[in-house]
PDB file of all heavy atoms in Angstrom:
ATOM      1  N   MET O   1     108.071 110.854  95.840  1.00 37.00           N
ATOM      2  CA  MET O   1     108.188 111.514  97.138  1.00 37.00           C
ATOM      3  C   MET O   1     109.609 111.976  97.397  1.00 37.00           C
ATOM      4  O   MET O   1     109.837 113.001  98.009  1.00 37.00           O
ATOM      5  CB  MET O   1     107.729 110.570  98.240  1.00 37.00           C
ATOM      6  CG  MET O   1     106.227 110.560  98.393  1.00 37.00           C
ATOM      7  SD  MET O   1     105.678 109.361  99.599  1.00 37.00           S
ATOM      8  CE  MET O   1     105.320 107.986  98.556  1.00 37.00           C
ATOM      9  N   ARG O  19     104.712 122.089 101.025  1.00 64.00           N
ATOM     10  CA  ARG O  19     103.724 121.582 101.972  1.00 64.00           C
ATOM     11  C   ARG O  19     103.661 120.065 101.962  1.00 64.00           C
ATOM     12  O   ARG O  19     103.126 119.470 102.881  1.00 64.00           O
ATOM     13  CB  ARG O  19     102.344 122.161 101.635  1.00 64.00           C
ATOM     14  CG  ARG O  19     102.080 123.486 102.317  1.00 64.00           C
ATOM     15  CD  ARG O  19     100.587 123.703 102.510  1.00 64.00           C
ATOM     16  NE  ARG O  19      99.872 123.763 101.252  1.00 64.00           N
ATOM     17  CZ  ARG O  19      99.716 124.868 100.535  1.00 64.00           C
ATOM     18  NH1 ARG O  19     100.227 125.985 100.942  1.00 64.00           N
ATOM     19  NH2 ARG O  19      99.040 124.845  99.416  1.00 64.00           N
ATOM     20  N   THR O  20     104.158 119.441 100.891  1.00 86.00           N
ATOM     21  CA  THR O  20     104.083 117.989 100.811  1.00 86.00           C
ATOM     22  C   THR O  20     105.480 117.368 100.876  1.00 86.00           C
ATOM     23  O   THR O  20     105.830 116.519 100.094  1.00 86.00           O
ATOM     24  CB  THR O  20     103.384 117.539  99.530  1.00 86.00           C
ATOM     25  OG1 THR O  20     104.122 118.063  98.427  1.00 86.00           O
ATOM     26  CG2 THR O  20     101.955 118.016  99.480  1.00 86.00           C
ATOM     27  N   ARG O  21     106.239 117.809 101.830  1.00 90.00           N
ATOM     28  CA  ARG O  21     107.608 117.315 101.963  1.00 90.00           C
ATOM     29  C   ARG O  21     107.675 116.217 103.022  1.00 90.00           C
ATOM     30  O   ARG O  21     107.163 116.372 104.117  1.00 90.00           O
ATOM     31  CB  ARG O  21     108.526 118.471 102.364  1.00 90.00           C
ATOM     32  CG  ARG O  21     109.970 118.078 102.432  1.00 90.00           C
ATOM     33  CD  ARG O  21     110.823 119.258 102.850  1.00 90.00           C
ATOM     34  NE  ARG O  21     112.200 118.828 102.981  1.00 90.00           N
ATOM     35  CZ  ARG O  21     112.655 118.215 104.054  1.00 90.00           C
ATOM     36  NH1 ARG O  21     111.864 117.990 105.071  1.00 90.00           N
ATOM     37  NH2 ARG O  21     113.918 117.814 104.107  1.00 90.00           N
ATOM     38  N   ALA O  36     106.681  99.875 112.839  1.00 98.00           N
ATOM     39  CA  ALA O  36     105.471 100.217 113.589  1.00 98.00           C
ATOM     40  C   ALA O  36     104.431  99.104 113.485  1.00 98.00           C
ATOM     41  O   ALA O  36     103.742  98.792 114.466  1.00 98.00           O
ATOM     42  CB  ALA O  36     104.896 101.540 113.063  1.00 98.00           C
ATOM     43  N   SER O  47      97.712  92.028 124.156  1.00 97.00           N
ATOM     44  CA  SER O  47      96.326  92.224 124.599  1.00 97.00           C
ATOM     45  C   SER O  47      95.578  90.889 124.646  1.00 97.00           C
ATOM     46  O   SER O  47      94.767  90.645 125.550  1.00 97.00           O
ATOM     47  CB  SER O  47      95.605  93.189 123.653  1.00 97.00           C
ATOM     48  OG  SER O  47      96.234  94.446 123.671  1.00 97.00           O
ATOM     49  N   ARG O  51      94.024  89.064 127.948  1.00 95.00           N
ATOM     50  CA  ARG O  51      92.629  88.616 128.007  1.00 95.00           C
ATOM     51  C   ARG O  51      92.547  87.178 128.524  1.00 95.00           C
ATOM     52  O   ARG O  51      91.596  86.814 129.230  1.00 95.00           O
ATOM     53  CB  ARG O  51      92.003  88.717 126.617  1.00 95.00           C
ATOM     54  CG  ARG O  51      90.513  88.444 126.627  1.00 95.00           C
ATOM     55  CD  ARG O  51      89.934  88.415 125.233  1.00 95.00           C
ATOM     56  NE  ARG O  51      88.543  87.996 125.310  1.00 95.00           N
ATOM     57  CZ  ARG O  51      87.909  87.325 124.372  1.00 95.00           C
ATOM     58  NH1 ARG O  51      88.535  86.976 123.265  1.00 95.00           N
ATOM     59  NH2 ARG O  51      86.651  86.987 124.518  1.00 95.00           N
ATOM     60  N   ARG O  62     100.792  95.533 138.926  1.00 95.00           N
ATOM     61  CA  ARG O  62     100.851  96.346 140.143  1.00 95.00           C
ATOM     62  C   ARG O  62     102.220  96.325 140.817  1.00 95.00           C
ATOM     63  O   ARG O  62     102.475  97.109 141.728  1.00 95.00           O
ATOM     64  CB  ARG O  62      99.752  95.914 141.122  1.00 95.00           C
ATOM     65  CG  ARG O  62      98.383  96.354 140.655  1.00 95.00           C
ATOM     66  CD  ARG O  62      97.301  96.147 141.689  1.00 95.00           C
ATOM     67  NE  ARG O  62      96.023  96.665 141.205  1.00 95.00           N
ATOM     68  CZ  ARG O  62      95.640  97.942 141.315  1.00 95.00           C
ATOM     69  NH1 ARG O  62      96.417  98.808 141.913  1.00 95.00           N
ATOM     70  NH2 ARG O  62      94.467  98.330 140.833  1.00 95.00           N
ATOM     71  N   ASP O  67     105.156 105.507 138.530  1.00 95.00           N
ATOM     72  CA  ASP O  67     105.781 106.841 138.542  1.00 95.00           C
ATOM     73  C   ASP O  67     107.013 106.867 137.638  1.00 95.00           C
ATOM     74  O   ASP O  67     107.215 107.804 136.863  1.00 95.00           O
ATOM     75  CB  ASP O  67     106.171 107.234 139.971  1.00 95.00           C
ATOM     76  CG  ASP O  67     104.953 107.420 140.863  1.00 95.00           C
ATOM     77  OD1 ASP O  67     103.852 107.657 140.310  1.00 95.00           O
ATOM     78  OD2 ASP O  67     105.087 107.313 142.093  1.00 95.00           O
ATOM     79  N   LEU O  77     109.771 112.215 125.619  1.00 98.00           N
ATOM     80  CA  LEU O  77     109.096 113.347 124.971  1.00 98.00           C
ATOM     81  C   LEU O  77     110.021 114.558 124.902  1.00 98.00           C
ATOM     82  O   LEU O  77     110.089 115.251 123.886  1.00 98.00           O
ATOM     83  CB  LEU O  77     107.821 113.721 125.739  1.00 98.00           C
ATOM     84  CG  LEU O  77     106.609 112.810 125.562  1.00 98.00           C
ATOM     85  CD1 LEU O  77     105.505 113.210 126.533  1.00 98.00           C
ATOM     86  CD2 LEU O  77     106.091 112.872 124.123  1.00 98.00           C
ATOM     87  N   THR O  78     110.736 114.803 125.990  1.00 98.00           N
ATOM     88  CA  THR O  78     111.629 115.970 126.052  1.00 98.00           C
ATOM     89  C   THR O  78     112.811 115.790 125.096  1.00 98.00           C
ATOM     90  O   THR O  78     113.199 116.725 124.382  1.00 98.00           O
ATOM     91  CB  THR O  78     112.121 116.180 127.502  1.00 98.00           C
ATOM     92  OG1 THR O  78     110.974 116.332 128.341  1.00 98.00           O
ATOM     93  CG2 THR O  78     113.007 117.404 127.615  1.00 98.00           C
ATOM     94  N   TRP O  81     111.548 116.316 121.615  1.00 98.00           N
ATOM     95  CA  TRP O  81     111.297 117.758 121.382  1.00 98.00           C
ATOM     96  C   TRP O  81     112.605 118.482 121.046  1.00 98.00           C
ATOM     97  O   TRP O  81     112.667 119.276 120.097  1.00 98.00           O
ATOM     98  CB  TRP O  81     110.639 118.346 122.632  1.00 98.00           C
ATOM     99  CG  TRP O  81     110.602 119.830 122.716  1.00 98.00           C
ATOM    100  CD1 TRP O  81     109.988 120.682 121.840  1.00 98.00           C
ATOM    101  CD2 TRP O  81     111.207 120.640 123.727  1.00 98.00           C
ATOM    102  NE1 TRP O  81     110.168 121.980 122.266  1.00 98.00           N
ATOM    103  CE2 TRP O  81     110.903 121.986 123.409  1.00 98.00           C
ATOM    104  CE3 TRP O  81     111.941 120.372 124.882  1.00 98.00           C
ATOM    105  CZ2 TRP O  81     111.342 123.049 124.201  1.00 98.00           C
ATOM    106  CZ3 TRP O  81     112.373 121.433 125.674  1.00 98.00           C
ATOM    107  CH2 TRP O  81     112.080 122.749 125.329  1.00 98.00           C
ATOM    108  N   ARG O  88     114.569 121.684 113.041  1.00 96.00           N
ATOM    109  CA  ARG O  88     114.029 122.944 112.526  1.00 96.00           C
ATOM    110  C   ARG O  88     115.137 123.994 112.419  1.00 96.00           C
ATOM    111  O   ARG O  88     115.163 124.787 111.463  1.00 96.00           O
ATOM    112  CB  ARG O  88     112.887 123.438 113.416  1.00 96.00           C
ATOM    113  CG  ARG O  88     111.569 122.781 113.014  1.00 96.00           C
ATOM    114  CD  ARG O  88     110.600 122.648 114.155  1.00 96.00           C
ATOM    115  NE  ARG O  88     109.430 121.876 113.748  1.00 96.00           N
ATOM    116  CZ  ARG O  88     109.406 120.545 113.634  1.00 96.00           C
ATOM    117  NH1 ARG O  88     110.503 119.830 113.868  1.00 96.00           N
ATOM    118  NH2 ARG O  88     108.313 119.912 113.264  1.00 96.00           N
ATOM    119  N   ARG O  92     116.622 125.849 108.907  1.00 95.00           N
ATOM    120  CA  ARG O  92     116.788 127.301 108.741  1.00 95.00           C
ATOM    121  C   ARG O  92     118.261 127.698 108.621  1.00 95.00           C
ATOM    122  O   ARG O  92     118.594 128.880 108.666  1.00 95.00           O
ATOM    123  CB  ARG O  92     116.142 128.025 109.938  1.00 95.00           C
ATOM    124  CG  ARG O  92     114.632 127.940 109.989  1.00 95.00           C
ATOM    125  CD  ARG O  92     114.081 128.918 111.035  1.00 95.00           C
ATOM    126  NE  ARG O  92     114.555 128.591 112.370  1.00 95.00           N
ATOM    127  CZ  ARG O  92     113.836 127.896 113.265  1.00 95.00           C
ATOM    128  NH1 ARG O  92     112.641 127.473 112.962  1.00 95.00           N
ATOM    129  NH2 ARG O  92     114.334 127.633 114.449  1.00 95.00           N
ATOM    130  N   HIS O 185     111.931 109.785 116.862  1.00 98.00           N
ATOM    131  CA  HIS O 185     110.535 110.105 117.185  1.00 98.00           C
ATOM    132  C   HIS O 185     109.682 108.827 117.197  1.00 98.00           C
ATOM    133  O   HIS O 185     108.738 108.718 117.981  1.00 98.00           O
ATOM    134  CB  HIS O 185     109.963 111.124 116.191  1.00 98.00           C
ATOM    135  CG  HIS O 185     110.699 112.419 116.182  1.00 98.00           C
ATOM    136  ND1 HIS O 185     111.091 113.064 117.344  1.00 98.00           N
ATOM    137  CD2 HIS O 185     111.143 113.200 115.161  1.00 98.00           C
ATOM    138  CE1 HIS O 185     111.730 114.186 117.032  1.00 98.00           C
ATOM    139  NE2 HIS O 185     111.775 114.281 115.720  1.00 98.00           N
ATOM    140  N   PHE O 195     103.817 102.207 127.413  1.00 97.00           N
ATOM    141  CA  PHE O 195     103.606 102.620 128.806  1.00 97.00           C
ATOM    142  C   PHE O 195     102.181 102.327 129.306  1.00 97.00           C
ATOM    143  O   PHE O 195     102.015 101.623 130.319  1.00 97.00           O
ATOM    144  CB  PHE O 195     103.984 104.101 128.961  1.00 97.00           C
ATOM    145  CG  PHE O 195     103.648 104.679 130.305  1.00 97.00           C
ATOM    146  CD1 PHE O 195     104.068 104.082 131.482  1.00 97.00           C
ATOM    147  CD2 PHE O 195     102.873 105.838 130.395  1.00 97.00           C
ATOM    148  CE1 PHE O 195     103.739 104.608 132.726  1.00 97.00           C
ATOM    149  CE2 PHE O 195     102.543 106.374 131.631  1.00 97.00           C
ATOM    150  CZ  PHE O 195     102.964 105.756 132.799  1.00 97.00           C
ATOM    151  N   PRO O 196     101.127 102.799 128.624  1.00 97.00           N
ATOM    152  CA  PRO O 196      99.784 102.473 129.141  1.00 97.00           C
ATOM    153  C   PRO O 196      99.468 100.971 129.076  1.00 97.00           C
ATOM    154  O   PRO O 196      98.833 100.445 129.993  1.00 97.00           O
ATOM    155  CB  PRO O 196      98.840 103.280 128.245  1.00 97.00           C
ATOM    156  CG  PRO O 196      99.616 103.641 127.042  1.00 97.00           C
ATOM    157  CD  PRO O 196     101.048 103.712 127.475  1.00 97.00           C
ATOM    158  N   LEU O 200      99.519 100.778 132.922  1.00 95.00           N
ATOM    159  CA  LEU O 200      98.303 101.478 133.362  1.00 95.00           C
ATOM    160  C   LEU O 200      96.989 100.730 133.182  1.00 95.00           C
ATOM    161  O   LEU O 200      96.005 101.044 133.844  1.00 95.00           O
ATOM    162  CB  LEU O 200      98.208 102.837 132.641  1.00 95.00           C
ATOM    163  CG  LEU O 200      99.365 103.817 132.885  1.00 95.00           C
ATOM    164  CD1 LEU O 200      99.156 105.088 132.077  1.00 95.00           C
ATOM    165  CD2 LEU O 200      99.499 104.153 134.363  1.00 95.00           C
ATOM    166  N   ARG O 202      94.152  98.546 133.782  1.00 87.00           N
ATOM    167  CA  ARG O 202      93.681  97.764 134.951  1.00 87.00           C
ATOM    168  C   ARG O 202      92.825  96.597 134.501  1.00 87.00           C
ATOM    169  O   ARG O 202      92.071  96.704 133.560  1.00 87.00           O
ATOM    170  CB  ARG O 202      92.857  98.675 135.863  1.00 87.00           C
ATOM    171  CG  ARG O 202      93.691  99.644 136.622  1.00 87.00           C
ATOM    172  CD  ARG O 202      92.853 100.275 137.700  1.00 87.00           C
ATOM    173  NE  ARG O 202      92.406 101.616 137.327  1.00 87.00           N
ATOM    174  CZ  ARG O 202      91.382 102.230 137.903  1.00 87.00           C
ATOM    175  NH1 ARG O 202      90.704 101.640 138.852  1.00 87.00           N
ATOM    176  NH2 ARG O 202      91.032 103.449 137.539  1.00 87.00           N
TER     177      ARG O 202
ATOM    178  N   GLU H   4     108.239 128.282 119.052  1.00 89.00           N
ATOM    179  CA  GLU H   4     108.055 127.231 118.037  1.00 89.00           C
ATOM    180  C   GLU H   4     106.790 126.423 118.341  1.00 89.00           C
ATOM    181  O   GLU H   4     106.488 126.159 119.504  1.00 89.00           O
ATOM    182  CB  GLU H   4     109.255 126.282 118.054  1.00 89.00           C
ATOM    183  CG  GLU H   4     110.574 126.979 117.786  1.00 89.00           C
ATOM    184  CD  GLU H   4     111.177 126.579 116.457  1.00 89.00           C
ATOM    185  OE1 GLU H   4     110.431 126.041 115.608  1.00 89.00           O
ATOM    186  OE2 GLU H   4     112.368 126.811 116.280  1.00 89.00           O
ATOM    187  N   THR H   7     107.255 123.383 120.528  1.00 97.00           N
ATOM    188  CA  THR H   7     107.345 123.620 121.979  1.00 97.00           C
ATOM    189  C   THR H   7     105.952 123.584 122.602  1.00 97.00           C
ATOM    190  O   THR H   7     105.750 122.988 123.668  1.00 97.00           O
ATOM    191  CB  THR H   7     108.033 124.974 122.244  1.00 97.00           C
ATOM    192  OG1 THR H   7     109.344 124.923 121.682  1.00 97.00           O
ATOM    193  CG2 THR H   7     108.123 125.264 123.733  1.00 97.00           C
ATOM    194  N   TRP H  10     104.946 120.056 122.732  1.00 98.00           N
ATOM    195  CA  TRP H  10     105.661 119.366 123.812  1.00 98.00           C
ATOM    196  C   TRP H  10     104.999 119.660 125.169  1.00 98.00           C
ATOM    197  O   TRP H  10     104.803 118.747 125.979  1.00 98.00           O
ATOM    198  CB  TRP H  10     107.133 119.807 123.820  1.00 98.00           C
ATOM    199  CG  TRP H  10     107.911 119.336 125.002  1.00 98.00           C
ATOM    200  CD1 TRP H  10     108.326 118.065 125.250  1.00 98.00           C
ATOM    201  CD2 TRP H  10     108.339 120.130 126.103  1.00 98.00           C
ATOM    202  NE1 TRP H  10     109.011 118.016 126.453  1.00 98.00           N
ATOM    203  CE2 TRP H  10     109.027 119.277 126.989  1.00 98.00           C
ATOM    204  CE3 TRP H  10     108.231 121.491 126.438  1.00 98.00           C
ATOM    205  CZ2 TRP H  10     109.591 119.721 128.186  1.00 98.00           C
ATOM    206  CZ3 TRP H  10     108.792 121.938 127.619  1.00 98.00           C
ATOM    207  CH2 TRP H  10     109.456 121.060 128.470  1.00 98.00           C
ATOM    208  N   THR H  17     100.675 113.544 129.607  1.00 97.00           N
ATOM    209  CA  THR H  17     101.366 112.442 130.292  1.00 97.00           C
ATOM    210  C   THR H  17     101.152 112.515 131.805  1.00 97.00           C
ATOM    211  O   THR H  17     100.921 111.494 132.456  1.00 97.00           O
ATOM    212  CB  THR H  17     102.884 112.489 129.967  1.00 97.00           C
ATOM    213  OG1 THR H  17     103.048 112.370 128.550  1.00 97.00           O
ATOM    214  CG2 THR H  17     103.634 111.367 130.665  1.00 97.00           C
ATOM    215  N   TRP H  22      99.466 110.373 136.660  1.00 94.00           N
ATOM    216  CA  TRP H  22      99.157 110.681 138.049  1.00 94.00           C
ATOM    217  C   TRP H  22      97.690 111.065 138.262  1.00 94.00           C
ATOM    218  O   TRP H  22      97.320 111.494 139.335  1.00 94.00           O
ATOM    219  CB  TRP H  22     100.108 111.777 138.538  1.00 94.00           C
ATOM    220  CG  TRP H  22     101.517 111.248 138.581  1.00 94.00           C
ATOM    221  CD1 TRP H  22     102.019 110.380 139.518  1.00 94.00           C
ATOM    222  CD2 TRP H  22     102.570 111.498 137.645  1.00 94.00           C
ATOM    223  NE1 TRP H  22     103.335 110.082 139.203  1.00 94.00           N
ATOM    224  CE2 TRP H  22     103.705 110.743 138.064  1.00 94.00           C
ATOM    225  CE3 TRP H  22     102.693 112.268 136.485  1.00 94.00           C
ATOM    226  CZ2 TRP H  22     104.922 110.753 137.373  1.00 94.00           C
ATOM    227  CZ3 TRP H  22     103.885 112.277 135.800  1.00 94.00           C
ATOM    228  CH2 TRP H  22     104.989 111.535 136.246  1.00 94.00           C
ATOM    229  N   LYS H  26      95.733 106.277 138.331  1.00 82.00           N
ATOM    230  CA  LYS H  26      95.509 105.863 139.719  1.00 82.00           C
ATOM    231  C   LYS H  26      94.154 105.161 139.840  1.00 82.00           C
ATOM    232  O   LYS H  26      93.393 105.089 138.891  1.00 82.00           O
ATOM    233  CB  LYS H  26      95.589 107.093 140.644  1.00 82.00           C
ATOM    234  CG  LYS H  26      96.948 107.805 140.568  1.00 82.00           C
ATOM    235  CD  LYS H  26      98.093 106.898 140.980  1.00 82.00           C
ATOM    236  CE  LYS H  26      99.442 107.616 140.870  1.00 82.00           C
ATOM    237  NZ  LYS H  26     100.585 106.729 141.093  1.00 82.00           N
ATOM    238  N   ASP H  27      93.856 104.698 141.027  1.00 81.00           N
ATOM    239  CA  ASP H  27      92.669 103.858 141.197  1.00 81.00           C
ATOM    240  C   ASP H  27      91.395 104.635 141.544  1.00 81.00           C
ATOM    241  O   ASP H  27      90.397 104.046 141.920  1.00 81.00           O
ATOM    242  CB  ASP H  27      92.944 102.807 142.286  1.00 81.00           C
ATOM    243  CG  ASP H  27      93.963 101.778 141.816  1.00 81.00           C
ATOM    244  OD1 ASP H  27      94.116 101.628 140.585  1.00 81.00           O
ATOM    245  OD2 ASP H  27      94.608 101.154 142.666  1.00 81.00           O
ATOM    246  N   LEU H  29      89.314 106.396 139.684  1.00 87.00           N
ATOM    247  CA  LEU H  29      88.204 106.368 138.720  1.00 87.00           C
ATOM    248  C   LEU H  29      87.724 104.952 138.449  1.00 87.00           C
ATOM    249  O   LEU H  29      88.424 103.970 138.715  1.00 87.00           O
ATOM    250  CB  LEU H  29      88.649 106.997 137.402  1.00 87.00           C
ATOM    251  CG  LEU H  29      88.936 108.508 137.395  1.00 87.00           C
ATOM    252  CD1 LEU H  29      89.575 108.908 136.080  1.00 87.00           C
ATOM    253  CD2 LEU H  29      87.654 109.294 137.618  1.00 87.00           C
ATOM    254  N   ALA H  34      88.834 105.044 133.216  1.00 94.00           N
ATOM    255  CA  ALA H  34      90.282 105.258 133.257  1.00 94.00           C
ATOM    256  C   ALA H  34      90.969 104.661 132.025  1.00 94.00           C
ATOM    257  O   ALA H  34      91.806 105.314 131.388  1.00 94.00           O
ATOM    258  CB  ALA H  34      90.863 104.642 134.528  1.00 94.00           C
ATOM    259  N   ASP H  52     103.768 116.650 114.333  1.00 97.00           N
ATOM    260  CA  ASP H  52     104.642 117.794 114.606  1.00 97.00           C
ATOM    261  C   ASP H  52     106.110 117.443 114.813  1.00 97.00           C
ATOM    262  O   ASP H  52     106.977 118.145 114.318  1.00 97.00           O
ATOM    263  CB  ASP H  52     104.101 118.559 115.815  1.00 97.00           C
ATOM    264  CG  ASP H  52     102.793 119.233 115.468  1.00 97.00           C
ATOM    265  OD1 ASP H  52     102.814 120.162 114.657  1.00 97.00           O
ATOM    266  OD2 ASP H  52     101.739 118.802 115.972  1.00 97.00           O
ATOM    267  N   PHE H  53     106.411 116.374 115.548  1.00 97.00           N
ATOM    268  CA  PHE H  53     107.819 116.009 115.734  1.00 97.00           C
ATOM    269  C   PHE H  53     108.352 115.341 114.462  1.00 97.00           C
ATOM    270  O   PHE H  53     109.436 115.647 114.000  1.00 97.00           O
ATOM    271  CB  PHE H  53     107.992 115.079 116.930  1.00 97.00           C
ATOM    272  CG  PHE H  53     107.840 115.754 118.271  1.00 97.00           C
ATOM    273  CD1 PHE H  53     107.470 117.082 118.382  1.00 97.00           C
ATOM    274  CD2 PHE H  53     108.080 115.051 119.445  1.00 97.00           C
ATOM    275  CE1 PHE H  53     107.325 117.702 119.609  1.00 97.00           C
ATOM    276  CE2 PHE H  53     107.954 115.658 120.689  1.00 97.00           C
ATOM    277  CZ  PHE H  53     107.562 116.979 120.773  1.00 97.00           C
ATOM    278  N   MET H  54     107.576 114.400 113.907  1.00 97.00           N
ATOM    279  CA  MET H  54     108.023 113.694 112.699  1.00 97.00           C
ATOM    280  C   MET H  54     107.729 114.489 111.428  1.00 97.00           C
ATOM    281  O   MET H  54     108.055 114.051 110.333  1.00 97.00           O
ATOM    282  CB  MET H  54     107.355 112.314 112.607  1.00 97.00           C
ATOM    283  CG  MET H  54     107.734 111.368 113.719  1.00 97.00           C
ATOM    284  SD  MET H  54     106.819 109.797 113.635  1.00 97.00           S
ATOM    285  CE  MET H  54     108.010 108.755 112.801  1.00 97.00           C
ATOM    286  N   GLU H  55     107.075 115.612 111.586  1.00 96.00           N
ATOM    287  CA  GLU H  55     106.766 116.533 110.477  1.00 96.00           C
ATOM    288  C   GLU H  55     105.855 115.924 109.421  1.00 96.00           C
ATOM    289  O   GLU H  55     105.905 116.286 108.245  1.00 96.00           O
ATOM    290  CB  GLU H  55     108.060 117.053 109.825  1.00 96.00           C
ATOM    291  CG  GLU H  55     108.945 117.821 110.794  1.00 96.00           C
ATOM    292  CD  GLU H  55     110.181 118.405 110.127  1.00 96.00           C
ATOM    293  OE1 GLU H  55     110.027 119.175 109.178  1.00 96.00           O
ATOM    294  OE2 GLU H  55     111.288 118.066 110.568  1.00 96.00           O
ATOM    295  N   ASP H  58     103.294 118.078 107.190  1.00 93.00           N
ATOM    296  CA  ASP H  58     103.671 118.634 105.888  1.00 93.00           C
ATOM    297  C   ASP H  58     103.980 117.544 104.859  1.00 93.00           C
ATOM    298  O   ASP H  58     104.517 117.845 103.788  1.00 93.00           O
ATOM    299  CB  ASP H  58     104.907 119.538 106.042  1.00 93.00           C
ATOM    300  CG  ASP H  58     104.659 120.657 107.034  1.00 93.00           C
ATOM    301  OD1 ASP H  58     103.539 121.193 107.047  1.00 93.00           O
ATOM    302  OD2 ASP H  58     105.581 120.983 107.809  1.00 93.00           O
ATOM    303  N   TRP H  70      97.839 104.113 112.241  1.00 98.00           N
ATOM    304  CA  TRP H  70      98.489 103.260 113.254  1.00 98.00           C
ATOM    305  C   TRP H  70      97.905 103.471 114.663  1.00 98.00           C
ATOM    306  O   TRP H  70      97.460 102.496 115.284  1.00 98.00           O
ATOM    307  CB  TRP H  70     100.008 103.492 113.223  1.00 98.00           C
ATOM    308  CG  TRP H  70     100.794 102.533 114.056  1.00 98.00           C
ATOM    309  CD1 TRP H  70     101.222 101.292 113.691  1.00 98.00           C
ATOM    310  CD2 TRP H  70     101.244 102.724 115.403  1.00 98.00           C
ATOM    311  NE1 TRP H  70     101.923 100.709 114.716  1.00 98.00           N
ATOM    312  CE2 TRP H  70     101.951 101.553 115.780  1.00 98.00           C
ATOM    313  CE3 TRP H  70     101.125 103.761 116.321  1.00 98.00           C
ATOM    314  CZ2 TRP H  70     102.536 101.397 117.035  1.00 98.00           C
ATOM    315  CZ3 TRP H  70     101.704 103.611 117.579  1.00 98.00           C
ATOM    316  CH2 TRP H  70     102.396 102.442 117.922  1.00 98.00           C
ATOM    317  N   TRP H  82      90.293  94.797 125.805  1.00 96.00           N
ATOM    318  CA  TRP H  82      90.028  95.123 127.210  1.00 96.00           C
ATOM    319  C   TRP H  82      88.542  94.935 127.532  1.00 96.00           C
ATOM    320  O   TRP H  82      88.192  94.332 128.552  1.00 96.00           O
ATOM    321  CB  TRP H  82      90.450  96.568 127.519  1.00 96.00           C
ATOM    322  CG  TRP H  82      90.477  96.822 129.015  1.00 96.00           C
ATOM    323  CD1 TRP H  82      91.498  96.586 129.881  1.00 96.00           C
ATOM    324  CD2 TRP H  82      89.388  97.321 129.813  1.00 96.00           C
ATOM    325  NE1 TRP H  82      91.130  96.909 131.161  1.00 96.00           N
ATOM    326  CE2 TRP H  82      89.836  97.359 131.153  1.00 96.00           C
ATOM    327  CE3 TRP H  82      88.084  97.732 129.534  1.00 96.00           C
ATOM    328  CZ2 TRP H  82      89.041  97.800 132.212  1.00 96.00           C
ATOM    329  CZ3 TRP H  82      87.278  98.170 130.593  1.00 96.00           C
ATOM    330  CH2 TRP H  82      87.762  98.207 131.906  1.00 96.00           C
ATOM    331  N   ALA H  84      86.495  93.048 125.962  1.00 94.00           N
ATOM    332  CA  ALA H  84      86.117  91.648 125.776  1.00 94.00           C
ATOM    333  C   ALA H  84      86.591  90.780 126.937  1.00 94.00           C
ATOM    334  O   ALA H  84      86.241  89.594 127.016  1.00 94.00           O
ATOM    335  CB  ALA H  84      86.697  91.124 124.468  1.00 94.00           C
ATOM    336  N   THR H  85      87.424  91.357 127.817  1.00 86.00           N
ATOM    337  CA  THR H  85      87.981  90.570 128.930  1.00 86.00           C
ATOM    338  C   THR H  85      86.984  90.463 130.078  1.00 86.00           C
ATOM    339  O   THR H  85      86.393  91.456 130.464  1.00 86.00           O
ATOM    340  CB  THR H  85      89.285  91.216 129.460  1.00 86.00           C
ATOM    341  OG1 THR H  85      90.201  91.295 128.375  1.00 86.00           O
ATOM    342  CG2 THR H  85      89.892  90.362 130.577  1.00 86.00           C
TER     343      THR H  85
END
Side-chain angles (χ1 to χ4, degrees):
Chain O
M1 278 176 265
R19 272 206 298 274
T20 59
R21 184 181 177 279
S47 298
R51 187 186 173 211
R62 287 189 177 275
D67 294 338
L77 284 172
T78 303
W81 166 61
R88 275 151 187 78
R92 291 192 298 261
H185 300 316
F195 173 53
L200 300 178
R202 286 192 259 161
Chain H
E4 301 248 18
T7 300
W10 171 72
T17 300
W22 294 286
K26 301 299 179 187
D27 291 338
L29 292 171
D52 291 292
F53 287 5
M54 296 176 97
E55 299 183 58
D58 302 322
W70 189 85
W82 193 86
T85 302

